[in-house]
Amino acid sequence: MTTVAETPVRTFHLAPVAGHIGAEISGIDLRDDFTDAQIAELTAALHEYKVLFFRDQRIGHAEQIAFSRRFGSVTPSHPYDDDAPTEFPEILAVDSRLYEKRFGRKKFSYTNHWHTDVSPLINPPAASLLRAEIAPERGGDTQWTNLAAVYAGLPDSLKSLLDGLRAEHRFGGKQPVWAADSDYAKKVAAAPLVTEHPVVRVHPVTGERVLFVNPGFTTRIVGLSPRQSDALLELLYAELADPAYTVRFRWEHGSVAFWDNRATAHLAPSDLDHLDVTRVLYRTTLEGDVPVGVDGEPSRSIAGERFAGAQN
């Protein structure tokens, strides 16, 4: 007699929110002690939907770090961040009150371009988790795009070209968002981060091919003339910004977003600069691997060291 294995009962509710990306998770409290099976469920959901959203989570810095650690090694807050909460060096403050001081101009996020977190590192973060502490009553949304779906949607002839290319990622990009005489500019100049990554990376878990360029950090395609490089990158940026591949999230106090940084780019808000509002979110990141291209060749560091977290 043949028996049919029972499908495991999911311990939370998952609701997809867009055609290619994003799912809202409900029925769990991030302060709970999760079983290994529950963490495996959430990890699988993360890899399938690329970004997971949670509402009404009453967690602080310690709980955010503890939850993040269930998925990997948590890194220090940022390669250039030296004003994280002193008792929680893993926490990056995305705080509109700090950015004007840091960059020399009013801002609500580090960059208002599509970007993959700290892609100029030789090992960009595997994932990031962001929670909202103070959210404006209107505006301030974040968007994500599914870079695996973007690549899958390209014509085969373009895929064949991209599979063999490398691109330079530089912290600050082609046009840094900070004032040239700011302390932040001096800090970056003293310890630059530059890496040549494959234009198409192979996701180490899902095996998906992922378009791995972004306007926040990618400066050029290696081996092409400036004109050729700019034209190709503009084409790819238009593809990754196609609304068909994106999801948009409205922040509220207690909202949390958890995304696969190896398969997504995200876009911070640009609709708040004229408003007298405060926006404060806190981010943790998980140590990433060195990207590998379709040809099996890993990324090459030009400047900067591997960014590692403490061992769990």
Side-chain angles (χ1 to χ4, degrees):
M1 179 178 177
T2 302
T3 59
V4 178
E6 293 185 1
T7 301
V9 177
R10 178 170 279 157
T11 56
F12 53 83
H13 182 260
L14 182 150
V17 295
H20 283 287
I21 182 173
E24 186 159 319
I25 305 296
S26 57
I28 62 175
D29 186 329
L30 299 189
R31 296 171 296 185
D32 289 346
D33 291 327
F34 292 95
T35 66
D36 291 345
Q38 289 173 313
I39 295 299
E41 285 184 79
L42 287 169
T43 300
L46 179 67
H47 290 148
E48 180 176 357
Y49 294 100
K50 313 309 182 195
V51 56
L52 304 179
F53 302 117
F54 306 82
R55 294 288 190 187
D56 301 318
Q57 299 295 324
R58 304 308 181 204
I59 62 173
H61 295 333
E63 293 87 354
Q64 179 173 345
I65 294 167
F67 178 72
S68 301
R69 280 185 177 144
R70 294 303 308 275
F71 299 90
S73 180
V74 179
T75 69
S77 59
H78 192 278
Y80 296 116
D81 184 38
D82 56 10
D83 55 3
T86 55
E87 70 277 30
F88 296 104
E90 302 90 345
I91 294 288
L92 176 73
V94 182
D95 188 336
S96 58
R97 299 168 299 189
L98 299 176
Y99 280 121
E100 185 168 2
K101 175 184 176 182
R102 183 178 297 170
F103 298 137
R105 63 186 67 171
K106 183 180 180 182
K107 290 185 66 62
F108 285 85
S109 184
Y110 158 72
T111 177
N112 298 127
H113 300 295
W114 285 101
H115 65 285
T116 296
D117 279 338
V118 209
S119 67
L121 284 169
I122 183 63
N123 64 321
S128 299
L129 190 145
L130 191 64
R131 87 175 197 270
E133 181 68 23
I134 301 175
E137 292 184 0
R138 61 186 175 112
D141 299 357
T142 301
Q143 298 178 68
W144 284 263
T145 186
N146 181 341
L147 296 178
V150 173
Y151 176 84
L154 297 175
D156 289 343
S157 56
L158 184 52
K159 290 178 184 176
S160 296
L161 170 64
L162 300 178
D163 286 350
L165 295 177
R166 301 266 154 166
E168 179 187 89
H169 294 235
R170 179 180 296 271
F171 198 85
K174 297 184 72 171
Q175 295 180 316
V177 298
W178 48 79
D181 59 349
S182 67
D183 290 342
Y184 203 78
K186 298 172 184 175
K187 187 185 302 184
V188 173
L193 287 175
V194 187
T195 298
E196 288 183 2
H197 289 303
V199 170
V200 179
R201 71 177 294 183
V202 178
H203 195 287
V205 178
T206 67
E208 295 171 297
R209 294 185 180 187
V210 178
L211 182 67
F212 201 62
V213 294
N214 66 85
F217 293 121
T218 306
T219 53
R220 65 186 180 93
I221 303 291
V222 177
L224 301 187
S225 71
R227 178 175 58 82
Q228 292 166 340
S229 174
D230 289 347
L232 182 53
L233 286 174
E234 284 304 315
L235 183 154
L236 298 177
Y237 296 159
E239 292 296 317
L240 69 82
D242 186 334
Y245 301 115
T246 69
V247 65
R248 184 174 186 134
F249 189 57
R250 179 83 181 93
W251 294 102
E252 300 170 348
H253 175 69
S255 297
V256 173
F258 181 25
W259 65 94
D260 184 342
N261 199 55
R262 297 177 289 204
T264 62
H266 56 283
L267 181 65
S270 57
D271 62 341
L272 296 176
D273 290 351
H274 65 297
L275 299 176
D276 185 18
V277 296
T278 299
R279 180 178 183 267
V280 180
L281 304 97
Y282 294 108
R283 193 188 78 187
T284 46
T285 53
L286 302 182
E287 181 181 342
D289 53 300
V290 177
V292 174
V294 176
D295 57 4
E297 290 297 315
S299 301
R300 183 170 72 95
S301 177
I302 307 301
E305 302 298 325
R306 187 182 180 98
F307 198 55
Q311 295 298 315
N312 293 333

